Amino acid sequence: MRHLLENERRKMDKTIMNTENVKLCLKNKWNINPFDFWIPLHGNVDENSIYFDNDDFEEFFGYDRINKILKEINVGRIYSFNEANEEKSYSEILIKEYNSPDIFITNENADWVIYQTHENTIAFAGMELIEKIKSNWTNWKEKVNPWE
């Protein structure tokens, strides 16, 4: 019994350590505090980030496509952080229509980021993710960064 409890504690410690590393990667790579706002609500759009009005994203691109792309490019666990200070880790995730507090979704190295907001926007970071969105969405230029 004691051995089982020690194993569970080690797993919990490892999960906490991984989550802290992910938050540090978000800060260092993207200047993101995962419990605060990001583009377009706060910060600047740079060459490795874009955002869309969520209605345009749903109509012209859609969640099925973004989920397919994530399956192609993701390595490792996926982490989510929201403005209610909730942290979760998943082996895989399906992105769907916004229905929670503002939320960040990323992989363990923060190679890519998806940020859904209460202001009806969805933002993306990471060159591989962005290039795949662009190559699968013919009129993305007409819809990108609508608040700029």
Side-chain angles (χ1 to χ4, degrees), residues 7-28:
N7 283 342
E8 287 302 312
R9 185 185 54 77
R10 277 192 219 116
K11 284 181 187 177
M12 175 98 71
D13 289 347
K14 184 177 180 189
T15 300
I16 291 168
M17 191 167 7
N18 287 348
T19 301
E20 292 304 313
N21 286 339
V22 173
K23 289 191 281 190
L24 185 60
C25 285
L26 285 170
K27 180 66 176 166
N28 292 338

Side-chain angles (χ1 to χ4, degrees), residues 43-54:
N44 299 314
V45 178
D46 65 25
E47 67 179 291
N48 293 320
S49 62
I50 59 176
Y51 72 92
F52 300 96
D53 176 88
N54 202 55

Side-chain angles (χ1 to χ4, degrees), residues 66-77:
I66 200 67
N67 287 316
K68 182 180 176 198
I69 290 169
L70 289 179
K71 284 184 181 199
E72 292 173 12
I73 68 170
N74 188 56
V75 176
R77 296 198 59 80

Side-chain angles (χ1 to χ4, degrees), residues 4 10 12 26 42 50 55 82 104 108 111 113 117 139:
L4 289 174
R10 277 192 219 116
M12 175 98 71
L26 285 170
H42 176 72
I50 59 176
D55 293 336
N82 68 33
F104 289 95
E108 57 194 35
D111 297 318
V113 179
T117 75
N139 68 334

